[in-house]
Amino acid sequence: MRLVLLGGPGAGKGTQARLIAARLGIPHVATGELLRAAGRADTGIGRQLRGYLDKGALVPDETVVELTRERLKEPDAGRGFVLDGFPRTLAQAEQLDLMLEQQEVQLDYSVVVQVPEDELVKRLSGRRTCRQCGAMYHVGFRPPRVAGVCDVCGGELYLRSDDTEQTVRRRLELYREQATPLLDYYRRQGVLLAVDGLGSAEIVEQRIALALAGNHQSRPDRDRRARMA
Ligand code: AP5
Ligand code: MG
């Protein structure tokens, strides 16, 4: 299964991508995590990346496309993948299609997790992430057993540098600008599934699983139907 997860900042893309990847035995590829890891390097490129990330600005398409292309070439991605945070622009979506075309495969679905903005702000301000294994918590909705300590690996939990109020506002603005053309692109291809992202992570996971199971039509059949519509 080749999946893209779309949704605003804090919609639960990372949370759901981890669950789907574990259930289907495919890798979770998160461009935000790849960029944050590259941004930790004490090099010119590392500093440049931190500049974009800390401001909540989009990293240039060429950089992110290259990073994703390299990651999708790794053998584990041959079985499929869940992409989280990519594509974010129409240009990135077109590049993803080209990458897949070169591998003679296609995207199966693009799932958009829909959550109202006031809820997104609440989720981001309370998010804590494990420095070691990347597990996600929320001080209110999903607290760790011991404050500041990861349940899974005992690692330290931290607040992301882009989860400050001003940066969250910037990220929301950018999502508003980029989302419509991206959703239209996938809607036209007949691969877009919209899922309500309110409710517990487990309930949202079930909704996504149901949406995927209810749309088991093969991609060529869907393509034919879209052309006839
Ligand atoms: P990225 O890391 O992708 O951030 P984002 O899109 O802003 O999304 P988040 O990771 O903040 O939220 P999420 O949807 O994963 O939610 P989560 O599961 O954590 O990108 C960061 C930056 O990298 C960008 O700003 C940009 O600079 C750059 N970048 C990345 N990709 C790029 C690209 N393609 N092009 C250009 N630049 C790019 O959940 C949030 C919180 O809510 C957590 O605390 C979680 O525990 C909680 N939660 C989750 N689900 C639920 C639920 N159902 N109920 C209650 N709480 C929940
Ligand atoms: Mg995320």
Side-chain angles (χ1 to χ4, degrees):
M1 174 88 75
R2 294 176 187 83
L3 275 184
V4 158
L5 275 191
L6 302 174
K13 300 182 294 296
T15 304
Q16 294 302 325
R18 279 176 165 252
L19 294 169
I20 297 169
R23 185 164 53 83
L24 300 181
I26 51 179
H28 167 201
V29 177
T31 45
E33 284 177 20
L34 295 174
L35 291 166
R36 278 187 288 281
R40 276 182 218 117
D42 195 15
T43 58
I45 292 175
R47 274 187 289 279
Q48 238 178 18
L49 287 177
R50 285 201 293 280
Y52 291 110
L53 296 169
D54 291 351
K55 282 203 289 278
L58 288 185
V59 171
D61 285 341
E62 313 81 77
T63 309
V64 191
V65 166
E66 215 30 58
L67 196 74
T68 309
R69 190 195 309 282
E70 287 308 309
R71 178 61 187 89
L72 294 188
K73 271 190 202 156
E74 286 178 31
D76 63 342
R79 297 194 306 272
F81 50 77
V82 189
L83 269 176
D84 154 16
F86 183 94
R88 244 176 172 92
T89 63
L90 197 53
Q92 292 180 14
E94 288 166 352
Q95 287 298 318
L96 174 63
D97 278 349
L98 279 178
M99 274 180 230
L100 297 179
E101 209 177 293
Q102 280 159 9
Q103 296 179 15
E104 299 183 355
V105 293
Q106 281 183 315
L107 191 70
D108 290 295
Y109 293 106
S110 179
V111 178
V112 56
V113 183
Q114 295 175 315
V115 175
E117 280 199 12
D118 54 344
E119 173 73 12
L120 294 179
V121 174
K122 270 191 238 160
R123 287 188 185 181
L124 291 178
S125 58
R127 172 170 55 190
R128 297 294 181 272
T129 309
C130 175
R131 258 188 220 291
Q132 224 159 275
C133 73
M136 226 105 59
Y137 299 87
H138 188 281
V139 291
F141 310 128
R142 185 181 275 266
R145 281 194 294 272
V146 178
V149 181
C150 178
D151 292 351
V152 182
C153 72
E156 183 202 353
L157 302 185
Y158 78 106
L159 179 70
R160 257 171 53 177
S161 62
D162 57 350
D163 281 348
T164 61
E165 199 189 318
Q166 199 188 359
T167 312
V168 166
R169 234 181 282 131
R170 173 83 190 113
R171 288 161 60 203
L172 282 169
E173 260 170 44
L174 271 177
Y175 180 69
R176 262 182 251 127
E177 281 168 26
Q178 305 287 354
T180 308
L182 205 53
L183 297 183
D184 285 347
Y185 180 78
Y186 285 124
R187 198 174 287 117
R188 277 198 304 275
Q189 289 193 2
V191 296
L192 185 70
L193 299 176
V195 170
D196 176 5
L198 281 177
S200 70
E202 291 71 23
I203 287 177
V204 177
E205 183 197 5
Q206 279 174 21
R207 283 188 199 127
I208 296 178
L210 277 174
L212 293 175
N215 283 275
H216 43 65
Q217 216 177 18
S218 72
R219 176 78 192 254
D221 286 349
R222 277 183 280 148
D223 285 351
R224 209 170 305 123
R225 248 177 30 152
R227 276 199 302 274
M228 283 162 65

